[in-house]
Structure formats: C-alpha cells, structure tokens
Amino acid sequence: MLKIEGLTAEVEGKPILKGIDLEVPDGEIHAIMGPNGSGKSTLSYVLAGRDGYEVTGGTAHFNGVDLLGLEPEERAAIGVFLAFQYPVELPGVGNANFLRTALNAQRRARGEGELDAMQFLKAARARLKELQMSEEMLKRGVNVGFSGGEKKRNEVLQMALLRPKLAILDETDSGLDIDALKIVADGVNALRAPEFSSLVITHYQRLLDYIVPDRVHVLMAGRIVKSGGPELAKELEATGYASVQAAA
Amino acid sequence: MNAAVNSGAEGFLHRFDGLRARLPGTRMPWVQALREDAATRFRSAGFPTRRVEAWKYTDLRPVSDAGFDEALSILGDSADLPAPLCDRRAVFVDGRFREDASTLGSAEFAVDGLAQRLPQLEGRLGSLARPQEEPLVALNTMLFEDGLVVTVPAGVAGGLLELASFASGSERPAAFHPRHLIRLEAGASLTIVESARGPAETRYLHNPVFEIEVAEGATLTHTRVQQEGAKAFQLGTIYARVEAGGTYDNFTLNAGGRLVRNEIHVTLAGPRATCHMNGAQLLRHGQHADTTTFLDHAAPDCASRQTYKTVLSGKSRGVFQGKIHVHQVAQRTDGYQMNQALLLSPDAEIDSKPQLEIYADDVKCSHGATVGALDAEQLFYLRARGIPEEAARSMLVQAFLAEAIEGVADATSRAALEAAVSGWWEPAA
Ligand SMILES: Nc1ncnc2c1ncn2[C@@H]1O[C@H](COP(=O)(O)OP(=O)(O)OP(=O)(O)O)[C@@H](O)[C@H]1O
Ligand SMILES: [Mg+2]
C-alpha cells in the first residue's frame, strides 16, 4: 500500500525528516509514536502534499504510484486521507456543502458518478448516526465553533464518507473523551479491509487498545529509531522515550 | 460650422446646447432653471480630477477622454430580456422608461416614468441631489431625460419592485443619465431590486442619480446588482434621507463595468433612524470599482452599519471611502463601518479611506479594515479532501462573500445576489 524510502524533508530550510523508511502493507494498521517535535505531523503533511514541506530526497509510493509527484487533490482522489492534528476552520463554508463537494470531486476524478443532494444526505446521515454526531453539524460552517473533540469527530466523519484506502490519523485521539475515543476507533475499525491501511499517529497507548496495530514505530528527531509489535507501545508507556534513545 | 466636440466636459455641454429645446421640461421654467444652474456648475467644474480629495483614488480620464453620443434606446425583442425577478418590473433602456417592456400591474401605489410625470415633480425633483457639490450630479441634472418615480402612500406595504436597466446593443457609445425618485410615506415599506446590465462589446456611460425619501417609520430595502458590460462606465450617486424611526437598507454588488463609482449619501434626519449600507465588489482584469459613502448622523439615537467586501484579481483596483459625520445633536449615535478586501493577485490593489468626524460626545462609532490573501492552510485543507485548487479557491472566495450576502434578509434580493456571485470566478493568473 505505502512504501517510503529514504525520505528527507525540510521546512523553511530546516531539515525535519532525516531519512524515513517505512512500509505499510495492504490491510495493516501501523502506529507512529514519538516525542513532540520529532516530525510526525511533518511526515503526514509531506504525504498529503502540503506546500512548504519540501522533499529533499527519497521516495514515497502508494500502490506503486509516485505519491510525491501528485497534487494534494490527486492524492486524495486515489485514496489518501489525512485526518489533521489541528482541523482547519472554514467560516462561510457549510459543512454539508464541503463534504458533498469533496466527495463528488473525488468521484469525478475517478470517473465515478456524482451523488445528488438527496443521495448525499442519505449517506451523510447514516455516517453521522454511526459516529453519534448530531445532524446539526452538517448545517454549521466547517469546524467553526466546534469543540476540540467535535473537530476530531468531524475528521472521522469525513473519513467515513470519503472511504480512503490509506488513512493517516494525526493525533485524532488527542482531546477526545473516553466515549468519543471508542467511537473514533469504531470508525477506523469499520473501514478495516484487505485493501485498507492506516497510519495512526498517537501519543497514547489507550487508542491502540481499541485500534490494535500490526506494527508500532518510534519516530525521533526525524528518523524511525525503533519498530515492533503492539507490545512496543505498552513498553513506551512504561519507560518513556529516553530508554529508546539510549538504545538507539 | 465647427466639428462637433463629443468628448470631455465640452462634449456633454455641447450636447446640452443641442438638446436644450428637446429635453423633457423645456416649457417648465423650474426644470429649465435646474438644468441651466447645473450646466453652469458643470462648465466650471468639469470632470473631477484626482486633485479633488473625494476622487483621489479614481481617475475619470477614461470617461472624459471617451466620446459619447445620444442614446438611441433600442430595445431588441423584449422577449430576450432576462426573466423578471418578481411580479412588478420597471424596465429602462439607455435610461429611458419602457412601459411597453415593463410589467407593472396594479398595486396600491403608482410606478411611473419621470418624463411623463415631470409637471407634478416641481419641488420634489432636485430636493435632495446636490449638483453644486458633485459635478457628476450636475451632469445628470443637465441631461436627465427620464427615470423612475415611485411613491408608496402612508402605511402601505409595497412589496417587491424590480428596477431593471439595460444598455442597448447599439454601435454608438451612448451616455444616459436617469434620475430616479423614490418616496416612502410614513410607515410604508418597499423592496427594490435593481439590476444594471449591458452588452460586453459596447462602451457606454450610465450616470444615474437617485433621490430617496424615507418618511417616519418607513422601510426601504434597496438591493443593487451591477453587472454592466465589460467596457461600460457606471457613475452613480444616491441621496437618501431617512426620517424618525425609518430604515434605509442598501446592498450594492459591483461585479461588472470597466470603471464604476458607487457614491451614496445618507442623512439620518430623525431620531432612531437606521441605515445599513453593505456591499461586495468582485473585480478582475483591469476593472476599477469605487464605493464612496457619506453617512450623516443628524439626529439622536440613530444607528448605522456598513460592511463592504471586495475581491480583487488580475490588475483590478478597488476603492472604499467611507465618511461618518456625527453632528453635535446626534447623541447616542451607534455607527459601525468595516471594509474587508481579499487580494487574489499581486497586481491587484485596494485603497481604503475611513473617516470619522464626530461632534457629539455620547457616541459609539467604530471602523476597521482588513486586507488579505486566501488562507494557505484553508486552501490546503480543501485540496487534501480532493477539491481541485480552482474550485477550492472559488469556495473560499464565496465563503468570504457569504457573510455579507447572508445578511440580506429579502429572499428575492439574496437569490439575485447569489446568482451574480456564483457566476463570478476566474482561474488564477
Ligand atoms: N511551518 C513550520 N515552520 C517552522 N518550523 C516548523 C513548521 N512546521 C514544523 N516545524 C518544526 O518541525 C519540527 C517537527 O514538527 P512536527 O509538527 O512534525 O512535530 P510532531 O512530531 O508532529 O510534534 P507533536 O507531537 O507536538 O505534534 C518541529 O521542530 C517544528 O517546530
Ligand atoms: Mg504533530
């Protein structure tokens, strides 16, 4: 699904990613953990194609396609989804209009038929129900006045509607209450399939109790310094990153 | 005989000389006096230059350098006109009222052409306009031929009226100067949806002047959708006077034209009068649009709100000048003015000049201005969801305007504005 080799990137001239090698096979869920400022969000932005995050070396392939050569919208259309650590507020853009425009833009890019207003509403309502979100959320401006937790849920709603092949969740669990955490995890687990993979960035082992990862990677200072099974997350919770650093 | 001069102020004065005996009101001394005074004024002032403070940011040379002819008012097949927005529509072609193309029906108040009502308008026509101060108003006074005359009697809810202005497709560059008189008597109400359109290829000058009287407790909603042709000049001036407890709401969308000035003078003349002046300007290529407002708080306990939003792409240029004058008697005035611009291109430019003149001591008055580009983070968020860059930009521009347009309460007005805005989008240069 995703294959990253020797990826280096800088922001405003400052090297942040210093050679990332990472492979996420079809159907697997990988967790990325690491201290603040280690480059986790930078990696997710580079994969999504944000301006200003400049790739200086290495490659990233998505199902064999050179991801780094595509525009952000093209990456989305082939199935890459990034749940933002800090979802952006869009005053004046209605959430329903936003979701439908996004869904139809992706469908159009893939040569699929577009959903009319009724079909969209039906699909959106079903997803809202699963995520225990009120329909009110559709009428409001995108993320405008949403609480921290509501913003995260709105990211998951987008994921549930857009049904990506690769979901990168950047700290989607941060700021969620315990019930919301379960709902978000259920949302990810609902997409689990042989042709769905996910990269889950988190600081907390707790999320990984609900979304059990196939692999856990530790990112420090722009490099993956350790990889292991789900037990690695538990170990980190007990010992912190200092022990990894010492071992690395 | 000398060759006719048809450009500059002389061109218009020359035309006035030629038309003197044919313009409406030739046999009415009061009309003649108005025209002659205006001509004298226009002769001495000419077109304002940028040395005049109020015209510092708008250069009228493209207008004064161009030559214009008399309008022919050719109405093609009236079946080709865009569908009416509401039941009652007054149609103007090159500034002349076309009853044949209008649908006026019967209502509790009359809608007439000014030329035909002129004998009854002594003392009303010219009661608010100030040709001595504004050369373009002098030009209009000197050469007006027609206009809309509406009087809504006391207590009557006038509903909706569309004022549709078209420039004819004639080859000749025409200039026309309609004078519109709108009067709402005590407690009356009316919503006017005004549109201005013309052919893209023809140069013309549309120079309307409005005199608007809103009596005690009356409410006028005035929505203006300016979509003149790409080579057109529209230089319009509105004078509105609002008495105690009355409301004048103006929303102006400037989307068309090559050079446009939207000048509005409002006097809040009685206690608790209210005025909302909002608008949006959508500019591209080399378009120039200027919104200049003068708000006179001349009575206590009045409120005014102004929000203007300008979107500029290409090499366009936008101007916003807003002056709020609070007289000494106007205690407890509540005034607010905001001007926001979105620059989509490095070659576009916005000039903004707010001005507060306050002579009362118990006053709440604020103004602000913002200028910015599209937010890169918002743009990326939309694109990361699969929305192509162009569409994402367009969504953000519409979002920028949405706040202004959502504030328009009348559904017909809002629909007309939304239709005009949604058609506006240009790929990034
Ligand atoms: N736009 C930017 N301008 C300057 N520096 C940046 C920018 N974005 C990221 N950085 C720097 O890059 C480094 C990595 O940041 P990044 O956001 O990727 O960390 P992170 O691992 O996601 O941290 P956290 O756990 O706090 O979310 C930090 O030192 C950060 O200050
Ligand atoms: Mg981060």
Side-chain angles (χ1 to χ4, degrees):
Chain A
M1 174 82 55
L2 178 68
K3 190 168 189 194
I4 302 172
E5 288 176 299
L7 186 65
T8 58
E10 54 183 48
V11 182
E12 293 181 354
K14 181 174 146 198
I16 308 287
L17 302 183
K18 296 170 182 161
I20 304 262
D21 293 292
L22 177 65
E23 187 166 356
V24 184
D26 287 1
E28 291 197 2
I29 291 187
H30 287 205
I32 295 185
M33 304 182 83
N36 296 132
S38 56
K40 303 181 298 295
S41 293
T42 301
L43 175 63
S44 62
Y45 283 144
V46 165
L47 293 175
R50 183 169 179 167
D51 276 349
Y53 288 72
E54 206 187 327
V55 176
T56 48
T59 58
H61 285 89
F62 174 75
N63 289 335
V65 178
D66 171 16
L67 207 49
L68 303 177
L70 300 180
E71 297 294 333
E73 55 269 31
E74 294 171 327
R75 301 181 198 202
I78 61 172
V80 177
F81 178 89
L82 167 63
F84 285 56
Q85 181 175 2
Y86 303 108
V88 179
E89 296 188 10
L90 303 175
V93 180
N95 210 17
N97 177 35
F98 165 65
L99 291 167
R100 186 168 156 228
T101 306
L103 182 59
N104 280 337
Q106 292 198 14
R107 293 180 68 95
R108 198 163 45 239
R110 293 193 293 260
E112 300 166 8
E114 295 180 28
L115 299 190
D116 65 27
M118 287 308 293
Q119 293 167 317
F120 166 76
L121 210 59
K122 213 175 143 215
R125 282 196 178 125
R127 302 289 91 76
L128 280 165
K129 207 162 161 227
E130 287 162 11
L131 297 169
Q132 299 181 25
M133 289 169 69
S134 101
E135 260 186 54
E136 194 56 35
M137 304 289 255
L138 287 182
K139 295 184 190 133
R140 291 162 61 178
V142 178
N143 296 325
V144 179
F146 285 25
S147 74
E150 285 170 340
K151 285 181 182 170
K152 296 301 176 80
R153 273 198 222 196
N154 202 35
E155 293 293 287
V156 178
L157 171 66
Q158 293 168 41
M159 179 183 74
L161 267 169
L162 296 170
R163 304 192 70 84
K165 294 198 176 85
L166 173 70
I168 304 164
L169 308 182
D170 191 357
E171 294 196 32
T172 304
D173 54 334
S174 296
L176 289 183
D177 64 44
I178 299 161
D179 293 342
L181 187 73
K182 271 202 75 180
I183 292 164
V184 166
D186 288 347
V188 176
N189 289 329
L191 292 176
R192 278 205 154 179
E195 62 286 352
F196 173 79
S197 302
S198 184
L199 208 50
V200 179
I201 297 169
T202 182
H203 286 297
Y204 307 107
Q205 147 65 24
R206 202 180 48 187
L207 176 70
L208 304 179
D209 286 339
Y210 298 111
I211 307 176
V212 181
D214 296 285
R215 300 283 291 166
V216 175
H217 309 278
V218 181
L219 184 66
M220 289 179 79
R223 282 193 187 89
I224 289 177
V225 294
K226 193 167 182 180
S227 297
E231 71 291 345
L232 178 54
K234 296 205 174 71
E235 238 175 271
L236 289 169
E237 185 105 325
T239 61
Y241 294 113
S243 62
V244 183
Q245 188 119 47
Chain B
M1 200 180 129
N2 293 331
V5 189
N6 85 338
S7 68
E10 303 82 65
F12 287 102
L13 289 160
H14 182 84
R15 174 119 53 82
F16 177 57
D17 284 338
L19 289 174
R20 239 193 200 98
R22 287 195 283 134
L23 285 166
T26 302
R27 297 213 198 89
M28 293 171 223
W30 65 272
V31 176
Q32 284 306 92
L34 277 179
R35 293 199 196 275
E36 294 298 340
D37 285 354
T40 304
R41 177 65 194 147
F42 189 66
R43 184 170 289 115
S44 66
F47 279 101
T49 67
R50 293 186 52 199
R51 284 193 298 277
V52 177
E53 186 62 23
W55 292 88
K56 190 171 162 192
Y57 301 113
T58 294
D59 189 346
L60 286 178
R61 272 178 304 183
V63 181
S64 61
D65 289 351
F68 296 97
D69 291 304
E70 193 181 350
L72 295 177
S73 305
I74 297 162
L75 176 63
D77 189 349
S78 64
D80 292 341
L81 296 179
L85 298 169
C86 52
D87 292 344
R88 305 189 88 193
R89 170 159 78 173
V91 171
F92 284 77
V93 177
D94 293 348
R96 290 180 190 139
F97 180 50
R98 294 297 293 256
E99 197 165 1
D100 53 332
S102 300
T103 41
L104 295 173
S106 60
E108 287 179 81
F109 65 98
V111 175
D112 293 303
L114 178 130
Q116 121 209 17
R117 282 282 304 277
L118 207 48
Q120 290 104 58
L121 296 174
E122 182 172 4
R124 177 167 172 189
L125 195 162
S127 65
L128 296 179
R130 294 194 288 270
Q132 296 307 318
E133 290 163 32
E134 311 294 339
L136 294 172
V137 176
L139 176 63
N140 171 286
T141 306
M142 181 172 93
L143 288 168
F144 75 83
E145 290 181 55
D146 212 342
L148 179 74
V149 180
V150 179
T151 307
V152 186
V156 169
L160 279 166
L161 172 66
E162 181 183 355
L163 165 55
S165 162
F166 301 94
S168 67
S170 105
E171 298 283 293
R172 290 151 49 106
F176 43 96
H177 317 266
R179 173 69 62 100
H180 304 298
L181 308 182
I182 294 153
R183 172 181 280 172
L184 270 63
E185 293 180 350
S189 66
L190 181 67
T191 296
I192 293 182
V193 185
E194 181 193 342
S195 60
R197 277 179 253 216
E201 327 72 46
T202 317
R203 180 177 78 219
Y204 60 90
L205 168 64
H206 185 184
N207 168 224
V209 170
F210 286 80
E211 297 186 76
I212 294 173
E213 298 162 86
V214 178
E216 288 80 11
T219 299
L220 176 65
T221 301
H222 186 187
T223 306
R224 316 179 70 215
V225 186
Q226 185 275 110
Q227 294 178 290
E228 305 276 19
K231 292 185 176 170
F233 305 109
Q234 193 198 83
L235 306 173
T237 311
I238 293 176
Y239 294 93
R241 182 181 166 91
V242 189
E243 304 297 341
T247 300
Y248 176 58
D249 281 353
N250 176 302
F251 189 104
T252 301
L253 174 72
N254 273 330
R258 169 181 168 200
L259 194 165
V260 171
R261 166 96 156 189
N262 163 35
E263 181 169 322
I264 311 178
H265 300 252
V266 176
T267 302
L268 296 176
R272 297 175 321 283
T274 307
C275 173
H276 298 109
M277 280 195 273
N278 300 318
Q281 310 195 106
L282 301 181
L283 310 175
R284 60 176 124 200
H285 306 306
Q287 279 182 295
H288 179 112
D290 171 336
T291 290
T292 294
T293 67
F294 296 88
L295 224 151
D296 232 3
H297 276 270
D301 299 302
C302 293
S304 64
R305 293 269 172 286
Q306 299 182 61
T307 303
Y308 285 91
K309 297 202 170 207
T310 304
V311 179
L312 303 106
S313 73
K315 288 187 159 103
S316 64
R317 186 146 180 208
V319 178
F320 175 79
Q321 309 185 97
K323 180 167 174 179
I324 302 178
H325 181 138
V326 181
H327 295 242
Q328 201 176 346
V329 295
Q331 297 298 350
R332 295 170 303 281
T333 283
D334 181 359
Y336 169 85
Q337 183 190 86
M338 176 54 90
N339 172 43
Q340 298 177 315
L342 184 58
L343 290 170
L344 300 179
S345 126
D347 300 323
E349 191 181 322
I350 176 95
D351 292 297
S352 177
K353 193 174 95 177
Q355 227 183 323
L356 300 181
E357 246 179 61
I358 300 175
Y359 299 99
D361 41 36
D362 182 8
V363 163
K364 208 167 73 188
C365 239
S366 63
H367 66 83
T370 63
V371 180
L374 285 180
D375 185 282
E377 220 179 323
Q378 295 182 336
L379 201 55
F380 175 63
Y381 192 63
L382 291 168
R383 296 180 68 192
R385 294 297 176 257
I387 301 171
E389 185 172 4
E390 294 281 281
R393 286 168 154 272
S394 159
M395 277 178 94
L396 292 178
V397 169
Q398 295 201 34
F400 172 76
L401 296 170
E403 187 194 13
I405 292 175
E406 277 163 10
V408 175
D410 172 59
T412 306
S413 301
R414 215 170 43 241
L417 292 168
E418 278 166 358
V421 166
S422 70
W424 189 89
W425 178 243
E426 180 190 47

